[in-house]
Amino acid sequence: MYHHVKKLMYTVKVGDPDPRFGNMLLEQFGGANGELAAAMQYSVQGLNTDDPGLKDMLMDIGTEELSHLEVIGTLARMHLKPMKKDRDAAEADPLIAICGGGGVNLYNSMGNAWTADYLKITGQPEVDLRSNIAAEARAKIVYERLIDFCDDPGSKDALQFLMTREITHMKVFMTALDSLGKKPLEIGKLKPTEGLVDQYFNDSTGEGDGAKDMTGPWNEGGDWERVDNPAFEPGKMKVDGD
Ligand code: MN
Ligand code: MN
């Protein structure tokens, strides 16, 4: 059950409206890493899970994201409002100015309509929690860039609040993932093929323009077995687990 409380989660103050910045803010309203996507992803995951603890947490955060949508929508609306009457302002986002009268709508900053294709929902807790951790990381960096491009102190304060909450959510999802007690590479039920799982395929050859084969902890040391040019020697691949 949802209930609307007639106040914002964070009070929004804007000094001088900046329609071009308002257009950028739409990325967090109707964009791929925005608040509606976050609210829908976590709430729908919450509907799908049978674990009462995860369900409660996902619905809590999904609901908070709806409150973020309200804050970012209010902030964007304040910056976009001059578009309604001012021709120069309208040029910052003709779609919003002409079709929406300077009001927010569920588009990203380039005018692409919001889509459920943004959502990552698999019904597998260790997979969905990782998607959520990545979603929060993307939201954090988008807020950081918006703050960098913002001159208005009141807008910066609201964005700082929203950015901080995304890190809080990241902390919740990471802790929840840890609480499942699964090893980092343990996904689902089936085990990967032994041997094959530890083979690093070096699928490039040649040197030129400063490019050469590189090594790092991602292909050297530990359990790694480096296999050069498997395309030419496919027998090196441990497909039978031997
Ligand atoms: Mn959020
Ligand atoms: Mn979040």
Side-chain angles (χ1 to χ4, degrees):
M1 185 188 301
Y2 289 94
H3 184 92
H4 187 254
V5 178
K6 287 186 273 298
K7 63 178 185 181
L8 290 173
M9 190 181 184
Y10 188 92
T11 306
V12 176
K13 296 192 186 85
V14 170
D16 290 323
D18 177 349
R20 286 158 63 86
F21 187 65
N23 170 258
M24 291 183 199
L25 288 172
L26 290 177
E27 204 57 49
Q28 283 304 82
F29 191 73
N33 308 307
E35 300 296 353
L36 182 67
M40 291 300 105
Q41 180 160 308
Y42 310 151
S43 298
V44 175
Q45 286 177 2
L47 293 178
N48 288 336
T49 185
D50 294 324
D51 181 309
L54 286 179
K55 182 186 284 283
D56 188 37
M57 177 270 281
L58 287 162
M59 297 312 281
D60 282 343
I61 299 185
T63 302
E64 181 178 341
E65 302 293 11
L66 277 180
S67 299
H68 292 185
L69 183 74
E70 188 182 25
V71 172
I72 196 76
T74 302
L75 185 62
R77 167 67 172 147
M78 287 170 154
H79 282 285
L80 294 171
K81 204 169 180 180
M83 285 186 183
K84 195 162 188 173
K85 294 180 180 149
D86 184 290
R87 163 64 195 256
D88 286 342
E91 288 182 6
D93 191 333
L95 177 69
I96 290 292
I98 305 302
C99 297
V104 293
N105 215 317
L106 289 170
Y107 301 113
N108 70 8
S109 61
M110 296 301 288
N112 297 308
W114 188 87
T115 165
D117 288 341
Y118 292 152
L119 308 184
K120 302 286 180 256
I121 299 162
T122 70
Q124 188 70 20
E126 70 275 23
V127 178
D128 282 347
L129 287 169
R130 280 185 171 82
S131 292
N132 298 355
I133 292 164
E136 295 293 344
R138 290 193 298 268
K140 196 275 179 183
I141 205 67
V142 173
Y143 276 123
E144 185 170 307
R145 289 171 182 159
L146 286 169
I147 290 168
D148 280 348
F149 288 142
C150 182
D151 297 325
D152 180 62
S155 301
K156 272 183 190 273
D157 286 347
L159 294 170
Q160 174 73 28
F161 171 82
L162 294 170
M163 183 184 78
T164 299
R165 292 304 299 169
E166 311 308 14
I167 294 296
T168 307
H169 296 165
M170 228 175 139
K171 186 174 169 183
V172 173
F173 291 135
M174 289 172 85
T175 311
L177 176 63
D178 199 43
S179 78
L180 297 178
K182 290 200 143 203
K183 292 178 184 152
L185 297 176
E186 199 182 340
I187 307 292
K189 293 184 299 224
L190 297 178
K191 292 196 185 326
T193 302
E194 273 184 46
L196 179 63
V197 72
D198 296 321
Q199 288 191 312
Y200 178 90
F201 294 154
N202 179 25
D203 279 319
S204 59
T205 52
E207 290 189 14
D209 300 327
K212 58 180 183 179
D213 277 338
M214 303 293 288
T215 55
W218 53 84
N219 63 5
E220 193 180 55
D223 298 332
W224 286 124
E225 181 197 346
R226 183 180 150 122
V227 179
D228 288 325
N229 308 327
F232 303 126
E233 294 180 72
K236 287 182 178 173
M237 289 191 277
K238 291 183 176 170
V239 287
D240 298 317
D242 55 12

